[in-house]
DNA sequence: GCGATCAGTT
DNA sequence: CACAACTGATCGC
């Protein structure tokens, strides 16, 4: 390895998040009044749940004359939980991993590749795994044992939880098949992150430090991202991370990664007084006047265009009817925004996926992020030739590697918006998650053939459609969801989903519910006696 | 009443 | 314990 070839320079968070001089440190403790309010709220919530549960118990008792468990996380005595079923069953559950195109070696010398060459781009070179590991040793935390990387065709699964996000189905034990696939896996990044984004660094960017005491406005003390980043470069050497397995030598090796946080909690101000927050530097794309998923900071100085990567609450937080700037998003996200947030339509601009367009002489391409419907990554090509990728929330897949844009351009700067960088998170392909779900439900149905089954799928506003569609299709289920989500699903323009959806909650086989309503009191309220839930 | 904020939930 | 992505209650304007 020489220079930065095959390496990513990772900017430590403490540099990116350096506290500007003008930020005042505000009180560290929650004021007593708020504490009290919090307690009152908590008490109210508890009371509400108790009452709900009490009522629910009565309903169930009246219907079934069977006394149900008083534990909230337990099903009524006449109901089974499929999740407990499969947790015990999963230990012997095996999944055959199908050979994927990405496991087939291409025998292409990456150094000889031409930019327009066809074929699958190897974002991670399977040949470099061992080299990568040895190089990473210097930065890996001493106590962190690395996982075996060689794939097997059959893996043992210890824990599969249908109640979890199917995207989160993890292999706690066993070996990942991903090591022989050329996908960007979390594991490939894990070592870097453990070193770079360390607990010692994070507190610098504590909630209270990113707190403005003034209104955001023309004189507002806002972080100037470019200068801050430039300063970071000068003041502290980059953490050099060997990632020679990321992309070929002629294309697509990001020279820098900026860790991006999207959570609304990242710099939550304290107190009730309305004070705007400071915009963290990573919300603004370096060298541009574009802000991504940054709506809770008022008008960000020097930002002319705003982007929304997808319609999830922690990304559109702060986006209200008052918003008055050009706002770019995918067509699907645009329909959702129009439906739920009354922003003047003249500010909403749709970006076609994979269709580059220019803004301020910067070429922008929206790429499918493989997250929820309408979720995109953003690829910026600056006049200088510098290419910047903002991932938003995304799910890496080997299909992504085939995208021409990753073949044709280097990624010089990467805004990586992700949380699951720890080795404890192991992600399989989305289709595999769905297949496992179907297999488990199939097995459950077989064992409970005589029972009526109420299928319950927890969901955010959008994002679980493929799972419940697969269930509905295979088992011919009628689906019901809450009116709010129904409205959102209608925005997706996904006819197959609408075919399955019915307005009648009582007759539906499969309920798509908000996560917060997945507790048994809530579920039972909507279910009939002698019903098996999962 | 709207929007911001916080606590609590899965 | 962690986390994302919520919901609902409360507070400030």
């Amino acid at each position: 390895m020489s220079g930065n070839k095959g390496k990513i320079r990772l900017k430590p968070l403490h540099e990116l998040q350096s506290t500007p001089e003008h930020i005042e440190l505000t009180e560290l403790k929650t004021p007593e009044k708020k504490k009290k309010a919090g307690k009152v709220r908590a008490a109210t919530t508890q009371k509400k749940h108790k009452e709900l549960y009490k009522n629910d118990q009565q309903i169930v008792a009246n219907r079934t004359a069977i006394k149900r468990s008083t534990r909230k996380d337990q099903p009524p005595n006449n109901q089974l939980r499929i999740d407990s079923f499969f947790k015990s069953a999963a230990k012997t559950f095996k999944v055959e991993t199908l050979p994927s195109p990405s496991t087939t070696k291409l025998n292409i010398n990456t150094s000889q590749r031409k930019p327009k060459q066809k074929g699958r781009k190897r974002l991670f070179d399977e040949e470099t795994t061992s080299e990568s590991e040895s190089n990473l040793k210097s930065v890996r935390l001493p106590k962190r044992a690395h996982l075996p990387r060689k794939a097997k065709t059959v893996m043992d699964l210890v824990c599969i939880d249908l109640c979890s996000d199917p995207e989160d189905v993890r292999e706690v034990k066993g070996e990942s098949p991903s090591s022989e696939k050329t996908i960007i896996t979390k594991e490939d990044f894990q070592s870097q992150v453990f070193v770079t984004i360390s607990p010692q660094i994070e507190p610098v960017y504590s909630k209270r430090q990113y707190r403005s005491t003034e209104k955001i406005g023309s004189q507002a003390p806002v972080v100037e991202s470019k200068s801050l980043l430039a300063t970071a470069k000068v003041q502290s050497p980059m953490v050099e991370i060997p990632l020679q397995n990321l992309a070929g030598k002629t294309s697509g090796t990001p020279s820098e990664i900026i860790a991006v946080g999207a959570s609304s909690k990242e710099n939550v101000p304290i107190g009730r007084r309305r004070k705007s927050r400071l915009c963290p530097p990573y919300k603004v794309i370096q060298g541009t006047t574009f802000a991504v998923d940054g709506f809770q900071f008022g008008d960000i100085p020097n930002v002319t265009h705003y982007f929304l990567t997808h319609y999830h609450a922690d990304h559109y937080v702060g986006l209200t009817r008052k918003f008055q700037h050009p706002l770019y998003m995918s067509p699907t996200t645009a329909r959702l925004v129009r439906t739920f947030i009354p922003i003047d339509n003249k500010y909403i601009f749709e970006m076609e996926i994979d269709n580059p367009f220019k803004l301020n002489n910067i070429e922008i391409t929206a790429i499918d992020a493989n997250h929820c419907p309408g979720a995109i990554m953003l690829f910026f090509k600056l006049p200088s030739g510098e290419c910047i990728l903002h991932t938003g929330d995304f799910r890496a897949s080997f299909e992504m590697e085939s995208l021409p844009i990753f073949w044709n351009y280097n990624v010089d700067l990467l805004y990586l918006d992700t949380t699951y960088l720890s080795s404890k998170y192991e992600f399989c392909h989305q289709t595999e998650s769905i297949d496992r779900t179907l297999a488990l439900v199939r097995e459950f149905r077989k064992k409970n053939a005589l029972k009526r089954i109420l299928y319950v799928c927890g969901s955010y506003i959008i994002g679980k459609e493929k799972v419940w569609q697969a269930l509905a299709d295979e088992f011919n289920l009628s689906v019901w969801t809450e009116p709010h989500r129904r409205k959102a699903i209608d925005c997706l323009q996904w006819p197959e989903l609408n075919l399955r959806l019915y307005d009648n909650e009582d007759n539906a086989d499969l309920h798509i519910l908000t996560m917060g309503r997945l507790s048994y009191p809530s579920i039972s309220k909507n279910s009939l006696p002698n019903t098996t839930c999962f």
Side-chain angles (χ1 to χ4, degrees), chain A residues 102-333:
Chain A
S102 62
T103 58
T104 312
K105 294 194 178 179
L106 291 176
N107 295 321
I108 296 172
N109 184 344
T110 52
S111 62
Q112 290 168 2
R113 263 189 208 137
K114 289 172 186 172
K116 300 284 180 187
Q117 189 166 359
K118 287 183 179 178
R120 186 182 301 288
K121 184 174 184 176
R122 320 303 291 183
L123 291 178
F124 286 91
D125 183 356
E126 59 264 52
E127 297 294 307
T128 58
T129 302
S130 57
E131 189 190 348
S132 163
E133 291 216 334
S134 62
N135 284 339
L136 286 172
K137 273 174 189 168
S138 58
V139 293
R140 181 172 282 140
L141 292 180
K143 287 185 181 175
R144 173 159 295 282
H146 67 267
L147 294 172
R149 308 261 324 206
K150 284 208 169 181
K152 286 181 176 177
T153 51
V154 177
M155 55 193 165
D156 294 323
L157 303 176
V158 172
C159 175
I160 308 168
D161 188 347
L162 284 192
C163 288
S164 301
D165 184 335
E167 297 191 359
D168 297 343
V169 171
R170 60 181 88 155
E171 301 134 24
V172 176
K173 193 179 123 187
E175 292 161 326
S176 164
S178 64
S179 57
E180 287 197 356
K181 291 178 182 173
T182 54
I183 63 173
I184 307 173
T185 65
K186 312 297 174 182
E187 195 181 311
D188 286 303
F189 283 109
Q190 75 195 32
S191 302
Q192 294 90 306
V193 170
F194 271 101
V195 172
T196 310
I197 307 173
S198 66
Q200 296 94 309
I201 292 170
E202 280 184 285
V204 175
Y205 194 57
S206 72
K207 294 175 178 180
R208 289 170 188 88
Q209 287 173 342
Y210 255 92
R211 179 78 150 80
S212 164
T213 52
E214 297 174 29
K215 286 277 183 189
I216 292 274
S218 54
Q219 316 99 323
V222 173
V223 179
E224 220 286 32
S225 65
K226 201 174 173 182
S227 62
L228 182 68
L229 292 171
T231 309
K233 280 183 190 171
V234 174
Q235 287 179 341
S236 176
M238 301 290 178
V239 177
E240 287 205 356
I241 302 299
L243 259 187
Q244 66 276 48
N245 53 349
L246 184 73
K249 287 172 187 169
T250 56
S251 59
T253 303
S255 57
E256 296 172 19
I257 291 180
I258 291 182
V260 180
S263 168
S264 59
K265 293 171 189 169
E266 63 207 359
N267 55 355
V268 175
I270 57 165
R272 280 281 178 193
R273 273 173 53 212
R274 192 169 299 172
K275 294 173 184 175
S276 296
R277 302 162 189 194
L278 284 175
C279 179
Y282 55 74
K283 292 287 182 186
V284 180
I285 303 298
Q286 188 179 338
T288 75
T289 56
F290 306 149
V292 179
D293 294 343
F295 304 103
Q296 49 179 329
F297 315 104
D299 296 343
I300 306 170
N302 305 320
V303 167
T304 57
H305 300 80
Y306 291 73
F307 293 79
L308 175 60
T309 58
H310 64 288
Y311 195 77
H312 270 163
D314 54 337
H315 290 259
Y316 64 71
V317 62
L319 191 57
T320 67
R321 66 181 71 218
K322 291 177 180 172
F323 187 82
Q324 290 183 337
H325 300 281
L327 175 57
Y328 289 78
M329 62 198 92
S330 68
T332 301
T333 305

Side-chain angles (χ1 to χ4, degrees), chain A residues 211-501:
Chain A
R211 179 78 150 80
S212 164
T213 52
E214 297 174 29
K215 286 277 183 189
I216 292 274
S218 54
Q219 316 99 323
V222 173
V223 179
E224 220 286 32
S225 65
K226 201 174 173 182
S227 62
L228 182 68
L229 292 171
T231 309
K233 280 183 190 171
V234 174
Q235 287 179 341
S236 176
M238 301 290 178
V239 177
E240 287 205 356
I241 302 299
L243 259 187
Q244 66 276 48
N245 53 349
L246 184 73
K249 287 172 187 169
T250 56
S251 59
T253 303
S255 57
E256 296 172 19
I257 291 180
I258 291 182
V260 180
S263 168
S264 59
K265 293 171 189 169
E266 63 207 359
N267 55 355
V268 175
I270 57 165
R272 280 281 178 193
R273 273 173 53 212
R274 192 169 299 172
K275 294 173 184 175
S276 296
R277 302 162 189 194
L278 284 175
C279 179
Y282 55 74
K283 292 287 182 186
V284 180
I285 303 298
Q286 188 179 338
T288 75
T289 56
F290 306 149
V292 179
D293 294 343
F295 304 103
Q296 49 179 329
F297 315 104
D299 296 343
I300 306 170
N302 305 320
V303 167
T304 57
H305 300 80
Y306 291 73
F307 293 79
L308 175 60
T309 58
H310 64 288
Y311 195 77
H312 270 163
D314 54 337
H315 290 259
Y316 64 71
V317 62
L319 191 57
T320 67
R321 66 181 71 218
K322 291 177 180 172
F323 187 82
Q324 290 183 337
H325 300 281
L327 175 57
Y328 289 78
M329 62 198 92
S330 68
T332 301
T333 305
R335 288 194 293 273
L336 288 159
V337 169
R338 288 192 191 103
T339 303
F340 293 109
I341 309 172
I343 299 168
D344 192 327
N345 198 42
K346 70 180 179 191
Y347 297 118
I348 298 178
F349 295 88
E350 298 183 9
M351 298 181 289
E352 297 298 330
I353 308 295
D354 297 328
N355 189 17
F357 68 101
K358 276 200 169 183
L359 267 182
N360 295 354
N361 212 23
I362 292 169
E363 192 177 291
I364 302 159
T365 311
I367 306 164
D368 186 356
N370 192 28
H371 183 55
C372 66
I376 50 163
M377 301 191 284
L378 292 162
F379 195 97
F380 301 94
K381 194 175 167 223
L382 274 53
S384 64
E386 189 188 13
C387 292
I388 301 174
L389 177 67
H390 189 297
T391 67
D393 278 1
F394 74 110
R395 184 193 183 103
S397 69
F398 47 80
E399 288 91 343
M400 242 173 224
E401 297 174 43
S402 302
L403 293 173
I405 198 155
F406 293 131
W407 275 89
N408 297 336
Y409 300 109
N410 293 311
V411 175
D412 302 301
L413 181 63
L414 176 64
Y415 286 70
L416 184 62
D417 184 350
T418 187
T419 302
Y420 297 103
L421 288 161
S422 160
S423 62
K424 65 182 176 180
Y425 299 109
E426 188 73 39
F427 290 76
C428 62
H429 196 276
Q430 194 180 53
T431 52
E432 195 185 324
S433 300
I434 294 170
D435 288 345
R436 287 189 207 175
T437 305
L438 291 173
L440 287 162
V441 172
R442 227 171 275 140
E443 201 177 338
F444 184 83
R445 281 168 61 98
K446 221 158 107 187
K447 292 192 176 175
N448 298 279
L450 297 176
K451 292 185 172 138
R452 182 184 167 187
I453 300 173
L454 173 68
Y455 300 80
V456 178
C457 179
S459 177
Y460 302 136
I461 182 73
I462 48 168
K464 293 290 197 305
E465 295 74 23
K466 286 181 192 169
V467 179
W468 63 257
Q469 191 201 351
L471 283 167
D473 284 351
E474 171 154 347
F475 306 113
N476 193 28
L477 308 176
S478 57
V479 183
W480 174 85
T481 191
E482 295 131 334
H484 184 65
R485 185 172 302 94
R486 178 64 194 265
K487 238 170 125 181
I489 292 168
D490 288 341
C491 295
L492 305 183
Q493 296 188 351
W494 193 334
E496 294 84 359
L497 298 180
N498 290 83
L499 284 175
R500 290 287 169 191
L501 284 166

